[in-house]
Amino acid sequence: SREQMMMDRFFQMA
Amino acid sequence: MFEARLLQGSLLKKVMEALKELLNEAAWDCSDAGIQLQAMDNSHVSLVSLNLRAEGFDKYRCDRNLSMGMNLGSMSKILKCASNEDIITIKAQDNADTVTFVFESPDQDKVSDYEMKLMNLDQEHLGIPETDYACTIRLPSSEFARICRDLSQFGESMVISCTKEGVRFSATGDIGTGNIKLAQSAKVDKEEEAVVIEMQEPVSLTFACRYLNSFTKATSLSKSVQLSMSPEVPLVVEYKIEDIGHVRYYLAPKIED
């Protein structure tokens, strides 16, 4: 889902 | 050798309550700085991050970093065997496949130990980026729990809107609409009872009530809770754990297709 993609994108930013 | 002794064992029991609804299993990463746990829930839309600093323990020893994979259902069963007044010690040998929980009554006349098998968890380590949030809202944790519970009756999701004036929680569903507005506290006697808003720009985001309700299982850990929001990034719901650390929950906002 788009929510799951947002989580992945956010935590990969670190 | 790893050993962590917590005089206020009830804190660990409360931490367990705060984790077990979202996570079935998780790795407890131990280093000389303390214990950290970080895991996504099964549906991959929320993340739980727990931090317990070494200084918060009565005794703490960690000779080498270790990652203990635990079934949280089993750990919860074991911690239910501890009384609220008990002192709790977590112990493990280096490279061990078990962990031991020791519960001592305050006057030391009863000592129980429970050994639990560890699991091999193939877990990804996620970084948490430093983020400047557009709004942070601090409010009493019991108030937040009440709002989540009340609005869950109206719909599956809840809108949280923050402006300078205050914060509004709303939910709409088949039976109608619920709105709860909290104004920023003008003056308060006790800081933990205050509603405090810091805002760079107004934000309005929608979240699934089910997850927010799971987060409120941490209510007994702290008198207040902090919500941090920005557009396009996960919400952070943070409960401080006395002088020892915090539990933070991250939740992706609902995105309209």
Side-chain angles (χ1 to χ4, degrees), chain B:
Chain B
M1 172 81 183
F2 171 75
E3 187 171 348
R5 184 172 191 260
L6 191 59
L7 285 179
Q8 209 181 334
S10 59
L11 279 183
L12 199 62
K13 287 165 72 80
K14 290 175 185 172
V15 164
M16 208 60 233
E17 291 304 306
L19 301 180
K20 69 171 194 195
E21 197 168 288
L22 285 161
L23 306 174
N24 298 328
E25 55 207 32
W28 296 69
D29 294 325
C30 308
S31 68
D32 55 6
I35 303 174
Q36 280 198 309
L37 177 155
Q38 203 173 292
M40 288 259 195
D41 76 294
N42 285 337
S43 61
H44 211 81
V45 295
S46 74
L47 179 133
V48 186
S49 171
L50 169 74
N51 185 17
L52 302 172
R53 290 186 295 271
E55 308 86 76
F57 291 87
D58 164 51
K59 193 194 286 174
Y60 190 91
R61 175 181 167 187
C62 183
D63 297 340
R64 63 169 69 178
N65 292 359
L66 80 162
S67 180
M68 296 190 284
M70 298 199 206
N71 178 305
L72 298 187
S74 308
M75 186 175 168
S76 177
K77 281 181 190 165
I78 289 175
L79 288 177
K80 284 212 170 103
C81 303
S83 301
N84 279 330
E85 297 72 31
D86 281 356
I87 300 159
I88 298 183
T89 303
I90 310 171
K91 287 201 283 198
Q93 298 297 326
D94 292 340
N95 303 317
D97 53 6
T98 60
V99 58
T100 302
F101 297 91
V102 182
F103 308 145
E104 300 163 66
S105 63
D107 49 11
Q108 314 277 319
D109 58 355
K110 179 181 173 189
V111 179
S112 334
D113 67 87
Y114 296 88
E115 193 180 79
M116 187 178 87
K117 287 183 199 135
L118 294 174
M119 309 169 74
N120 276 323
L121 293 181
D122 195 18
Q123 63 145 22
E124 45 181 344
H125 266 270
L126 297 161
I128 298 178
E130 285 289 324
T131 310
D132 288 326
Y133 289 95
C135 297
T136 62
I137 305 146
R138 187 159 55 78
L139 71 160
S141 60
S142 56
E143 184 68 84
F144 181 59
R146 179 73 201 256
I147 290 168
C148 293
R149 193 190 73 191
D150 290 351
L151 290 183
S152 297
Q153 303 184 96
F154 290 86
E156 284 179 6
S157 54
M158 182 195 299
V159 182
I160 306 179
S161 306
C162 184
T163 64
K164 261 200 309 252
E165 287 72 41
V167 55
R168 193 179 66 153
F169 302 84
S170 328
T172 302
D174 294 341
I175 62 168
T177 300
N179 288 301
I180 300 167
K181 279 186 234 166
L182 292 182
Q184 179 149 219
S185 307
K187 67 172 179 109
V188 278
D189 297 334
K190 291 182 187 157
E191 194 160 315
E192 66 258 26
E193 289 170 7
V195 176
V196 179
I197 295 168
E198 282 175 37
M199 196 202 74
Q200 315 299 326
E201 55 173 316
V203 180
S204 181
L205 294 168
T206 306
F207 302 99
C209 291
R210 184 162 73 88
Y211 291 95
L212 297 175
N213 271 315
S214 292
F215 302 166
T216 64
K217 300 292 179 222
T219 300
S220 63
L221 283 169
S222 181
K223 295 250 194 243
S224 68
V225 59
Q226 182 167 297
L227 316 180
S228 304
M229 300 199 296
S230 272
E232 310 287 321
V233 300
L235 161 79
V236 189
V237 179
E238 175 177 327
Y239 295 85
K240 292 238 185 313
I241 308 171
E242 300 197 4
D243 297 327
I244 181 167
H246 61 248
V247 58
R248 288 185 188 139
Y249 302 96
Y250 294 79
L251 176 64
K254 290 204 158 190
I255 303 166
E256 295 296 324
D257 284 318

Side-chain angles (χ1 to χ4, degrees), chain A residues 2-4 7-8 10-11, chain B residues 43-44 127 129 255-257:
Chain A
R2 293 176 67 175
E3 285 84 4
Q4 292 166 337
M7 292 297 274
D8 284 337
F10 181 73
F11 292 107
Chain B
S43 61
H44 211 81
I255 303 166
E256 295 296 324
D257 284 318

